[in-house]
Amino acid sequence: MSFTYLRTGKRWFPMAPSADGERFAVEVRSEGDVLVFALTGELDHDTAEPLRAALTAAVDGGARRLLVDFSGLRFCDSTGLNVLLHSRLTLREEGGSIALAGLRPPVARMFRITGADGIFPVHPDVAHALAEPRHV
């Protein structure tokens, strides 16, 4: 699988081939002091590395408030969940936080079954998450 890169500010983030028929993409944008990671496609063992790299680069670059937008994600397996859990632990050590927004039913079910929906703040969408900054 080849990777392309997305530029956000002065940083470049790797991303899987995206959009129109491809499996996974992550786009990063700033909303004030919150970095929003918009996911599209399917997040699994084969596509998780771009998200892992983007989250790691953000934390290493000093970001402390992250929001992951799942509204465009059709599927997430345990590998994707583990990427998020690892990022959460790293952020907590640095005094930061990570929240989730826009979980679609198949993805929300996986989070519910594993209990991860009780570990992360979960919001119906990005707008709600950003309106409650203490939870992001």
Side-chain angles (χ1 to χ4, degrees), residues 2 10-12 45 49 76-77:
S2 64
K10 295 180 181 180
R11 308 276 315 198
W12 288 90
H45 175 76
E49 187 54 36
C76 179
D77 73 0

Side-chain angles (χ1 to χ4, degrees), residues 65-78:
R65 296 179 66 211
L66 308 183
L67 176 61
V68 183
D69 177 7
F70 282 79
S71 62
L73 198 68
R74 294 184 306 273
F75 176 81
C76 179
D77 73 0
S78 62

Side-chain angles (χ1 to χ4, degrees), residues 28-40:
V28 185
R29 71 179 187 278
S30 289
E31 294 284 346
D33 66 342
V34 177
L35 272 186
V36 178
F37 295 76
L39 311 182
T40 56

